[in-house]
Amino acid sequence: MNIAKDKVVSIDYTLTNDNGEVLDSSSGREPLAFLHGHGNLIPGLEKELDGKVKGDKLVAIIAPDQAYGIRSEELVQEIPMANFQDASQVKVGVQFQVENEHEVRIATVTAVGESSATVDMNHPLADQTLHFDVEVMDVREATAEELEHGHVHGAGGHHH
Ligand code: ZN
């Protein structure tokens, strides 16, 4: 079975940056399972996996615009301290999730002043070219429920 939209794909992977540093890996864990074609992976990696079959191995080098995006200074913002639920938790390096109607972003506190903090909402991997070393462990049909939810249930996926 070839990888295509609406298939459930399991992969083992190691993600490294341009310097060869390992950023993430499924090594020692169960393979990552995802519903293909639903934006659960970065676009560049979905594209590279299209049409592959169980047992295929590939090295995919993904440019930032097909990965976590290009850094934007508009995503660096001054937030008044009064807007934080607990100002004592606001420290340089602290990360938290910010949700709007479209997406969840990871925000990182980069500076803390008397009455405001600077928060960077660029993805921590923005501007980075990503190197994925991937092995396709399984490809199967999605269940009706998985298609309805837009994500995988069971091993390697969501549990609920
Ligand atoms: Zn679900």
Side-chain angles (χ1 to χ4, degrees), residues 145-146 149-153 158 160:
E145 194 186 40
E146 285 171 329
H149 288 201
H151 58 231
V152 172
H153 293 165
H158 288 240
H160 66 148

Side-chain angles (χ1 to χ4, degrees), residues 13-18 20-25 29 68 124-125 128-132:
Y13 69 95
T14 297
L15 167 61
T16 52
N17 63 14
D18 273 337
E21 292 168 81
V22 175
L23 302 175
D24 191 15
S25 173
R29 305 199 301 247
Y68 292 104
L125 293 177
Q128 297 226 32
T129 297
L130 304 181
H131 302 245
F132 284 93

